[in-house]
Amino acid sequence: MESLISTGLAQLDLPAYPADAAAKLAKYGNLLMEQNQVMNLTAITQPFDVATLHMLDCAPLLNCGRLEHAKLIDVGTGAGFPGMVLKALCPTLSLTLLDGLQKRLSWLETVAEELALEGVTTLHARAEEAGQDGSLREQFDFATARAVADLGLLCEMCLPFVKVGGRFLAMKGPECQEELDRAARAIPTLGGVLKGCYDYRIPHTDITHRVVVVEKVAPCPAKYPRRWAKMQKTPL
C-alpha cells in the first residue's frame, strides 16, 4: 500500500509534504482495515481501494488552499476523511474532527497517536448545533466535508464554521452541476461565493472527482445553521 500511495502522491503535483507521509497513510489504511472488522467504518475494504479511493482521493485538497498553519474542521469526518489524510500531508495544520459517533472519534484519537500526529482535536457533536457555538462559529480557515448530502445542505452545515476569507472545500463527483444550481441561492445567503471547481483524476484509476471551493466573503447570518429537520424541509 505504501508504494501505491507514494507513487500516487507524486502524480498529484501537491505542495511539499513530509518524506514519511506515504508510510503514515499506509499505516492509517492498515489500521482502518483492521478496525473495520469490528466497527463499521468503510465499505472500501481492499488495500488497493483503500490506498486509492481513500488516501489518494483526499490528498488533492491540498491544491485548493494554503493549509500550512491553518485551522481546519472536517465536518462529519466518519473514518477521518479527508481530515486525517490532510494532516499527515501537512503536519502544521490544526485539525478538528467533528462527528456524531463517539466510537469513531475515540478510534481516530488512537490513530492520531499511532501516527504521531499532533494538533488533532475530536468533537462529538451535531454540525448544526456546533455551528451555533460561539467558540466554534467562524473560527476556522477551512471546513471540509466528504459526504453524500446535497451541496446546499452541506453549505449550511459547514460555512458557519468558516471565518471571513476562509474556504469550504466540498468533495463531490464531477456530475454535480445540478447540486451547484440548487445551491446557487444558499451559498450567498450564508456569506459565501463559489470560487470554482477543481477536478482531478485519482492516481492508478480512471475515476475523476471534484472539489467545490466556496470562499467566505461575509459573516453568516445568526439564524444559520438551522435545525436539521428544517434544513431538509425548506432548503435555502
Side-chain angles (χ1 to χ4, degrees):
M1 198 185 312
E2 181 178 344
S3 177
L4 272 173
I5 294 171
S6 180
T7 56
L9 291 175
Q11 296 174 30
L12 288 170
D13 195 27
L14 300 173
Y17 52 86
D20 65 350
K24 287 192 174 185
L25 291 175
K27 185 174 182 178
Y28 177 21
N30 286 320
L31 291 169
L32 174 67
M33 290 185 293
E34 179 182 341
Q35 186 67 17
N36 202 56
Q37 296 177 25
V38 295
M39 182 189 300
N40 184 23
L41 291 168
T42 179
I44 297 170
T45 58
Q46 299 302 311
F48 177 87
D49 295 333
V50 170
T52 55
L53 304 182
H54 279 324
M55 308 305 168
L56 296 176
D57 184 28
C58 296
L61 270 71
L62 264 72
N63 289 328
C64 298
R66 293 184 59 86
L67 300 189
E68 298 89 349
H69 303 286
K71 291 179 64 178
L72 182 148
I73 185 168
D74 186 8
V75 178
T77 188
F81 302 112
M84 290 287 278
V85 175
L86 300 178
K87 178 65 176 176
L89 292 166
C90 184
T92 63
L93 179 68
S94 176
L95 175 64
T96 297
L97 302 170
L98 183 151
D99 199 79
L101 189 62
Q102 182 60 56
K103 285 198 303 183
R104 280 197 292 254
L105 294 174
S106 296
W107 175 73
L108 286 169
E109 291 170 2
T110 300
V111 173
E113 291 179 7
E114 291 273 349
L115 302 183
L117 298 178
E118 298 180 354
V120 177
T121 301
T122 60
L123 178 61
H124 179 223
R126 295 179 63 88
E128 64 272 24
E129 295 172 359
Q132 290 289 359
D133 184 331
S135 67
L136 298 167
R137 189 176 177 86
E138 301 193 330
Q139 297 298 308
F140 295 89
D141 302 294
F142 294 91
T144 59
R146 188 194 194 206
V148 295
D150 190 82
L151 182 61
L153 295 177
L154 285 178
C155 285
E156 186 168 351
M157 287 190 288
C158 295
L159 277 173
F161 291 110
V162 181
K163 63 178 66 172
V164 173
R167 290 182 171 186
F168 168 42
L169 308 178
M171 298 184 71
K172 288 288 179 181
E175 306 298 329
C176 67
Q177 187 58 49
E178 288 187 9
E179 285 191 52
L180 284 167
D181 293 341
R182 287 195 296 272
R185 179 181 171 185
I187 291 172
T189 298
L190 296 161
V193 63
L194 180 63
K195 191 70 174 177
C197 295
Y198 173 62
D199 291 355
Y200 59 93
R201 183 183 62 80
I202 301 174
H204 310 303
T205 78
D206 295 323
I207 299 170
T208 299
H209 279 172
R210 168 175 291 176
V211 182
V212 178
V213 181
V214 179
E215 189 159 310
K216 189 78 169 283
V217 295
C220 185
K223 65 180 178 179
Y224 303 115
R226 300 166 294 166
R227 290 175 299 168
W228 176 244
K230 184 72 171 178
M231 281 191 238
Q232 289 184 302
K233 186 177 181 180
T234 55
L236 294 176

PDB file of all heavy atoms in Angstrom, residues 1 27-47 50 79 103-104 107:
ATOM      1  N   MET A   1       0.823  -1.205   0.000  1.00  0.00           N
ATOM      2  CA  MET A   1       0.000   0.000   0.000  1.00  0.00           C
ATOM      3  C   MET A   1       0.868   1.272   0.000  1.00  0.00           C
ATOM      4  O   MET A   1       0.529   2.255  -0.640  1.00  0.00           O
ATOM      5  CB  MET A   1      -0.936   0.000   1.205  1.00  0.00           C
ATOM      6  CG  MET A   1      -2.100   0.971   1.057  1.00  0.00           C
ATOM      7  SD  MET A   1      -3.182   1.145   2.490  1.00  0.00           S
ATOM      8  CE  MET A   1      -3.489  -0.548   2.921  1.00  0.00           C
ATOM      9  N   LYS A  27       0.001   3.123   6.988  1.00  0.00           N
ATOM     10  CA  LYS A  27      -0.290   2.618   8.335  1.00  0.00           C
ATOM     11  C   LYS A  27      -1.726   2.945   8.721  1.00  0.00           C
ATOM     12  O   LYS A  27      -2.436   2.102   9.307  1.00  0.00           O
ATOM     13  CB  LYS A  27       0.686   3.227   9.341  1.00  0.00           C
ATOM     14  CG  LYS A  27       0.542   2.666  10.754  1.00  0.00           C
ATOM     15  CD  LYS A  27       1.628   3.189  11.679  1.00  0.00           C
ATOM     16  CE  LYS A  27       1.501   2.587  13.066  1.00  0.00           C
ATOM     17  NZ  LYS A  27       2.582   3.059  13.971  1.00  0.00           N
ATOM     18  N   TYR A  28      -2.159   4.142   8.403  1.00  0.00           N
ATOM     19  CA  TYR A  28      -3.549   4.549   8.624  1.00  0.00           C
ATOM     20  C   TYR A  28      -4.497   3.587   7.907  1.00  0.00           C
ATOM     21  O   TYR A  28      -5.490   3.111   8.484  1.00  0.00           O
ATOM     22  CB  TYR A  28      -3.712   5.982   8.136  1.00  0.00           C
ATOM     23  CG  TYR A  28      -5.073   6.595   8.198  1.00  0.00           C
ATOM     24  CD1 TYR A  28      -6.087   6.131   9.035  1.00  0.00           C
ATOM     25  CD2 TYR A  28      -5.347   7.716   7.411  1.00  0.00           C
ATOM     26  CE1 TYR A  28      -7.329   6.750   9.075  1.00  0.00           C
ATOM     27  CE2 TYR A  28      -6.582   8.343   7.453  1.00  0.00           C
ATOM     28  CZ  TYR A  28      -7.574   7.849   8.282  1.00  0.00           C
ATOM     29  OH  TYR A  28      -8.798   8.471   8.314  1.00  0.00           O
ATOM     30  N   GLY A  29      -4.188   3.276   6.650  1.00  0.00           N
ATOM     31  CA  GLY A  29      -5.017   2.344   5.888  1.00  0.00           C
ATOM     32  C   GLY A  29      -5.084   0.966   6.520  1.00  0.00           C
ATOM     33  O   GLY A  29      -6.152   0.341   6.586  1.00  0.00           O
ATOM     34  N   ASN A  30      -3.957   0.482   7.013  1.00  0.00           N
ATOM     35  CA  ASN A  30      -3.936  -0.830   7.669  1.00  0.00           C
ATOM     36  C   ASN A  30      -4.730  -0.812   8.974  1.00  0.00           C
ATOM     37  O   ASN A  30      -5.453  -1.774   9.289  1.00  0.00           O
ATOM     38  CB  ASN A  30      -2.487  -1.261   7.920  1.00  0.00           C
ATOM     39  CG  ASN A  30      -1.787  -1.709   6.644  1.00  0.00           C
ATOM     40  OD1 ASN A  30      -2.387  -2.380   5.804  1.00  0.00           O
ATOM     41  ND2 ASN A  30      -0.527  -1.334   6.482  1.00  0.00           N
ATOM     42  N   LEU A  31      -4.613   0.271   9.732  1.00  0.00           N
ATOM     43  CA  LEU A  31      -5.400   0.405  10.955  1.00  0.00           C
ATOM     44  C   LEU A  31      -6.893   0.455  10.645  1.00  0.00           C
ATOM     45  O   LEU A  31      -7.713  -0.116  11.367  1.00  0.00           O
ATOM     46  CB  LEU A  31      -4.981   1.669  11.714  1.00  0.00           C
ATOM     47  CG  LEU A  31      -3.584   1.660  12.348  1.00  0.00           C
ATOM     48  CD1 LEU A  31      -3.201   3.058  12.818  1.00  0.00           C
ATOM     49  CD2 LEU A  31      -3.530   0.675  13.510  1.00  0.00           C
ATOM     50  N   LEU A  32      -7.233   1.120   9.556  1.00  0.00           N
ATOM     51  CA  LEU A  32      -8.627   1.194   9.124  1.00  0.00           C
ATOM     52  C   LEU A  32      -9.180  -0.180   8.778  1.00  0.00           C
ATOM     53  O   LEU A  32     -10.277  -0.560   9.223  1.00  0.00           O
ATOM     54  CB  LEU A  32      -8.738   2.129   7.913  1.00  0.00           C
ATOM     55  CG  LEU A  32     -10.097   2.221   7.220  1.00  0.00           C
ATOM     56  CD1 LEU A  32     -11.126   2.879   8.128  1.00  0.00           C
ATOM     57  CD2 LEU A  32      -9.980   2.995   5.901  1.00  0.00           C
ATOM     58  N   MET A  33      -8.438  -0.943   7.995  1.00  0.00           N
ATOM     59  CA  MET A  33      -8.912  -2.270   7.595  1.00  0.00           C
ATOM     60  C   MET A  33      -9.029  -3.194   8.807  1.00  0.00           C
ATOM     61  O   MET A  33      -9.969  -3.989   8.895  1.00  0.00           O
ATOM     62  CB  MET A  33      -7.967  -2.858   6.545  1.00  0.00           C
ATOM     63  CG  MET A  33      -8.046  -2.162   5.193  1.00  0.00           C
ATOM     64  SD  MET A  33      -7.042  -2.956   3.905  1.00  0.00           S
ATOM     65  CE  MET A  33      -5.387  -2.653   4.513  1.00  0.00           C
ATOM     66  N   GLU A  34      -8.095  -3.073   9.731  1.00  0.00           N
ATOM     67  CA  GLU A  34      -8.137  -3.895  10.939  1.00  0.00           C
ATOM     68  C   GLU A  34      -9.355  -3.549  11.803  1.00  0.00           C
ATOM     69  O   GLU A  34     -10.106  -4.423  12.243  1.00  0.00           O
ATOM     70  CB  GLU A  34      -6.853  -3.696  11.738  1.00  0.00           C
ATOM     71  CG  GLU A  34      -6.788  -4.480  13.037  1.00  0.00           C
ATOM     72  CD  GLU A  34      -5.512  -4.202  13.806  1.00  0.00           C
ATOM     73  OE1 GLU A  34      -4.535  -3.710  13.208  1.00  0.00           O
ATOM     74  OE2 GLU A  34      -5.495  -4.466  15.025  1.00  0.00           O
ATOM     75  N   GLN A  35      -9.564  -2.243  12.022  1.00  0.00           N
ATOM     76  CA  GLN A  35     -10.673  -1.815  12.875  1.00  0.00           C
ATOM     77  C   GLN A  35     -12.026  -2.064  12.211  1.00  0.00           C
ATOM     78  O   GLN A  35     -13.036  -2.295  12.900  1.00  0.00           O
ATOM     79  CB  GLN A  35     -10.524  -0.328  13.206  1.00  0.00           C
ATOM     80  CG  GLN A  35     -11.535   0.209  14.204  1.00  0.00           C
ATOM     81  CD  GLN A  35     -11.350  -0.375  15.596  1.00  0.00           C
ATOM     82  OE1 GLN A  35     -10.296  -0.931  15.912  1.00  0.00           O
ATOM     83  NE2 GLN A  35     -12.355  -0.234  16.447  1.00  0.00           N
ATOM     84  N   ASN A  36     -12.034  -2.067  10.893  1.00  0.00           N
ATOM     85  CA  ASN A  36     -13.284  -2.257  10.167  1.00  0.00           C
ATOM     86  C   ASN A  36     -13.868  -3.658  10.375  1.00  0.00           C
ATOM     87  O   ASN A  36     -15.047  -3.887  10.119  1.00  0.00           O
ATOM     88  CB  ASN A  36     -13.073  -1.999   8.667  1.00  0.00           C
ATOM     89  CG  ASN A  36     -14.356  -1.650   7.954  1.00  0.00           C
ATOM     90  OD1 ASN A  36     -15.054  -0.711   8.336  1.00  0.00           O
ATOM     91  ND2 ASN A  36     -14.689  -2.403   6.920  1.00  0.00           N
ATOM     92  N   GLN A  37     -13.052  -4.564  10.863  1.00  0.00           N
ATOM     93  CA  GLN A  37     -13.546  -5.907  11.150  1.00  0.00           C
ATOM     94  C   GLN A  37     -14.442  -5.940  12.378  1.00  0.00           C
ATOM     95  O   GLN A  37     -15.236  -6.866  12.547  1.00  0.00           O
ATOM     96  CB  GLN A  37     -12.355  -6.864  11.330  1.00  0.00           C
ATOM     97  CG  GLN A  37     -11.520  -7.032  10.068  1.00  0.00           C
ATOM     98  CD  GLN A  37     -10.312  -7.916  10.298  1.00  0.00           C
ATOM     99  OE1 GLN A  37     -10.295  -8.755  11.195  1.00  0.00           O
ATOM    100  NE2 GLN A  37      -9.270  -7.735   9.497  1.00  0.00           N
ATOM    101  N   VAL A  38     -14.318  -4.928  13.233  1.00  0.00           N
ATOM    102  CA  VAL A  38     -15.131  -4.897  14.451  1.00  0.00           C
ATOM    103  C   VAL A  38     -16.014  -3.652  14.533  1.00  0.00           C
ATOM    104  O   VAL A  38     -16.877  -3.554  15.397  1.00  0.00           O
ATOM    105  CB  VAL A  38     -14.252  -4.976  15.716  1.00  0.00           C
ATOM    106  CG1 VAL A  38     -13.535  -6.317  15.779  1.00  0.00           C
ATOM    107  CG2 VAL A  38     -13.235  -3.831  15.763  1.00  0.00           C
ATOM    108  N   MET A  39     -15.799  -2.694  13.641  1.00  0.00           N
ATOM    109  CA  MET A  39     -16.579  -1.456  13.639  1.00  0.00           C
ATOM    110  C   MET A  39     -16.851  -1.061  12.191  1.00  0.00           C
ATOM    111  O   MET A  39     -15.954  -1.116  11.352  1.00  0.00           O
ATOM    112  CB  MET A  39     -15.800  -0.331  14.343  1.00  0.00           C
ATOM    113  CG  MET A  39     -16.549   0.984  14.447  1.00  0.00           C
ATOM    114  SD  MET A  39     -15.490   2.339  15.060  1.00  0.00           S
ATOM    115  CE  MET A  39     -15.001   1.732  16.660  1.00  0.00           C
ATOM    116  N   ASN A  40     -18.064  -0.669  11.903  1.00  0.00           N
ATOM    117  CA  ASN A  40     -18.422  -0.297  10.531  1.00  0.00           C
ATOM    118  C   ASN A  40     -17.882   1.091  10.205  1.00  0.00           C
ATOM    119  O   ASN A  40     -18.518   2.102  10.496  1.00  0.00           O
ATOM    120  CB  ASN A  40     -19.942  -0.340  10.362  1.00  0.00           C
ATOM    121  CG  ASN A  40     -20.354  -0.065   8.926  1.00  0.00           C
ATOM    122  OD1 ASN A  40     -19.576  -0.249   8.002  1.00  0.00           O
ATOM    123  ND2 ASN A  40     -21.581   0.396   8.753  1.00  0.00           N
ATOM    124  N   LEU A  41     -16.704   1.136   9.584  1.00  0.00           N
ATOM    125  CA  LEU A  41     -16.059   2.395   9.252  1.00  0.00           C
ATOM    126  C   LEU A  41     -16.097   2.710   7.766  1.00  0.00           C
ATOM    127  O   LEU A  41     -16.175   3.872   7.377  1.00  0.00           O
ATOM    128  CB  LEU A  41     -14.595   2.372   9.715  1.00  0.00           C
ATOM    129  CG  LEU A  41     -14.348   2.384  11.216  1.00  0.00           C
ATOM    130  CD1 LEU A  41     -12.888   2.073  11.511  1.00  0.00           C
ATOM    131  CD2 LEU A  41     -14.746   3.723  11.818  1.00  0.00           C
ATOM    132  N   THR A  42     -16.023   1.689   6.934  1.00  0.00           N
ATOM    133  CA  THR A  42     -15.945   1.908   5.495  1.00  0.00           C
ATOM    134  C   THR A  42     -16.419   0.673   4.737  1.00  0.00           C
ATOM    135  O   THR A  42     -16.237  -0.456   5.202  1.00  0.00           O
ATOM    136  CB  THR A  42     -14.499   2.243   5.065  1.00  0.00           C
ATOM    137  OG1 THR A  42     -14.450   2.418   3.638  1.00  0.00           O
ATOM    138  CG2 THR A  42     -13.518   1.155   5.475  1.00  0.00           C
ATOM    139  N   ALA A  43     -17.014   0.920   3.566  1.00  0.00           N
ATOM    140  CA  ALA A  43     -17.381  -0.184   2.676  1.00  0.00           C
ATOM    141  C   ALA A  43     -16.222  -0.537   1.760  1.00  0.00           C
ATOM    142  O   ALA A  43     -16.277  -1.522   1.022  1.00  0.00           O
ATOM    143  CB  ALA A  43     -18.607   0.195   1.850  1.00  0.00           C
ATOM    144  N   ILE A  44     -15.171   0.272   1.804  1.00  0.00           N
ATOM    145  CA  ILE A  44     -13.965   0.047   0.994  1.00  0.00           C
ATOM    146  C   ILE A  44     -12.996  -0.759   1.842  1.00  0.00           C
ATOM    147  O   ILE A  44     -12.481  -0.263   2.851  1.00  0.00           O
ATOM    148  CB  ILE A  44     -13.354   1.389   0.567  1.00  0.00           C
ATOM    149  CG1 ILE A  44     -14.341   2.147  -0.340  1.00  0.00           C
ATOM    150  CG2 ILE A  44     -12.017   1.189  -0.142  1.00  0.00           C
ATOM    151  CD1 ILE A  44     -13.944   3.580  -0.613  1.00  0.00           C
ATOM    152  N   THR A  45     -12.730  -2.001   1.433  1.00  0.00           N
ATOM    153  CA  THR A  45     -12.017  -2.916   2.330  1.00  0.00           C
ATOM    154  C   THR A  45     -10.741  -3.516   1.749  1.00  0.00           C
ATOM    155  O   THR A  45      -9.977  -4.133   2.489  1.00  0.00           O
ATOM    156  CB  THR A  45     -12.951  -4.072   2.735  1.00  0.00           C
ATOM    157  OG1 THR A  45     -13.414  -4.746   1.555  1.00  0.00           O
ATOM    158  CG2 THR A  45     -14.160  -3.548   3.517  1.00  0.00           C
ATOM    159  N   GLN A  46     -10.493  -3.370   0.451  1.00  0.00           N
ATOM    160  CA  GLN A  46      -9.294  -3.947  -0.144  1.00  0.00           C
ATOM    161  C   GLN A  46      -8.144  -2.945  -0.135  1.00  0.00           C
ATOM    162  O   GLN A  46      -8.366  -1.743  -0.335  1.00  0.00           O
ATOM    163  CB  GLN A  46      -9.577  -4.400  -1.579  1.00  0.00           C
ATOM    164  CG  GLN A  46     -10.655  -5.465  -1.683  1.00  0.00           C
ATOM    165  CD  GLN A  46     -10.313  -6.698  -0.868  1.00  0.00           C
ATOM    166  OE1 GLN A  46      -9.209  -7.232  -0.960  1.00  0.00           O
ATOM    167  NE2 GLN A  46     -11.270  -7.150  -0.045  1.00  0.00           N
ATOM    168  N   PRO A  47      -6.909  -3.411   0.089  1.00  0.00           N
ATOM    169  CA  PRO A  47      -5.774  -2.486   0.195  1.00  0.00           C
ATOM    170  C   PRO A  47      -5.640  -1.520  -0.987  1.00  0.00           C
ATOM    171  O   PRO A  47      -5.407  -0.321  -0.772  1.00  0.00           O
ATOM    172  CB  PRO A  47      -4.570  -3.433   0.286  1.00  0.00           C
ATOM    173  CG  PRO A  47      -5.118  -4.672   0.916  1.00  0.00           C
ATOM    174  CD  PRO A  47      -6.513  -4.812   0.379  1.00  0.00           C
ATOM    175  N   VAL A  50      -8.392   1.060  -0.633  1.00  0.00           N
ATOM    176  CA  VAL A  50      -8.133   1.965   0.488  1.00  0.00           C
ATOM    177  C   VAL A  50      -7.075   2.996   0.101  1.00  0.00           C
ATOM    178  O   VAL A  50      -7.212   4.196   0.373  1.00  0.00           O
ATOM    179  CB  VAL A  50      -7.704   1.172   1.741  1.00  0.00           C
ATOM    180  CG1 VAL A  50      -7.192   2.109   2.835  1.00  0.00           C
ATOM    181  CG2 VAL A  50      -8.865   0.330   2.268  1.00  0.00           C
ATOM    182  N   ALA A  79     -14.595   8.035   9.146  1.00  0.00           N
ATOM    183  CA  ALA A  79     -13.349   7.327   9.435  1.00  0.00           C
ATOM    184  C   ALA A  79     -12.122   8.231   9.308  1.00  0.00           C
ATOM    185  O   ALA A  79     -10.989   7.754   9.266  1.00  0.00           O
ATOM    186  CB  ALA A  79     -13.199   6.130   8.503  1.00  0.00           C
ATOM    187  N   LYS A 103     -17.669   6.622  19.191  1.00  0.00           N
ATOM    188  CA  LYS A 103     -16.796   5.457  18.973  1.00  0.00           C
ATOM    189  C   LYS A 103     -15.820   5.713  17.830  1.00  0.00           C
ATOM    190  O   LYS A 103     -14.653   5.314  17.907  1.00  0.00           O
ATOM    191  CB  LYS A 103     -17.628   4.201  18.668  1.00  0.00           C
ATOM    192  CG  LYS A 103     -18.326   3.602  19.862  1.00  0.00           C
ATOM    193  CD  LYS A 103     -18.758   2.159  19.602  1.00  0.00           C
ATOM    194  CE  LYS A 103     -19.664   2.051  18.392  1.00  0.00           C
ATOM    195  NZ  LYS A 103     -20.132   0.651  18.184  1.00  0.00           N
ATOM    196  N   ARG A 104     -16.290   6.346  16.775  1.00  0.00           N
ATOM    197  CA  ARG A 104     -15.393   6.653  15.659  1.00  0.00           C
ATOM    198  C   ARG A 104     -14.331   7.647  16.097  1.00  0.00           C
ATOM    199  O   ARG A 104     -13.149   7.519  15.739  1.00  0.00           O
ATOM    200  CB  ARG A 104     -16.192   7.199  14.474  1.00  0.00           C
ATOM    201  CG  ARG A 104     -16.880   6.146  13.636  1.00  0.00           C
ATOM    202  CD  ARG A 104     -17.305   6.689  12.287  1.00  0.00           C
ATOM    203  NE  ARG A 104     -18.367   7.673  12.395  1.00  0.00           N
ATOM    204  CZ  ARG A 104     -19.634   7.457  12.069  1.00  0.00           C
ATOM    205  NH1 ARG A 104     -20.008   6.264  11.624  1.00  0.00           N
ATOM    206  NH2 ARG A 104     -20.532   8.417  12.169  1.00  0.00           N
ATOM    207  N   TRP A 107     -11.622   6.077  18.186  1.00  0.00           N
ATOM    208  CA  TRP A 107     -10.687   5.336  17.340  1.00  0.00           C
ATOM    209  C   TRP A 107      -9.732   6.291  16.628  1.00  0.00           C
ATOM    210  O   TRP A 107      -8.523   6.033  16.553  1.00  0.00           O
ATOM    211  CB  TRP A 107     -11.445   4.481  16.332  1.00  0.00           C
ATOM    212  CG  TRP A 107     -10.536   3.790  15.364  1.00  0.00           C
ATOM    213  CD1 TRP A 107      -9.713   2.735  15.611  1.00  0.00           C
ATOM    214  CD2 TRP A 107     -10.323   4.141  13.979  1.00  0.00           C
ATOM    215  NE1 TRP A 107      -9.003   2.396  14.479  1.00  0.00           N
ATOM    216  CE2 TRP A 107      -9.357   3.249  13.465  1.00  0.00           C
ATOM    217  CE3 TRP A 107     -10.866   5.113  13.154  1.00  0.00           C
ATOM    218  CZ2 TRP A 107      -8.931   3.304  12.141  1.00  0.00           C
ATOM    219  CZ3 TRP A 107     -10.431   5.179  11.832  1.00  0.00           C
ATOM    220  CH2 TRP A 107      -9.472   4.280  11.346  1.00  0.00           C
TER     221      TRP A 107
END
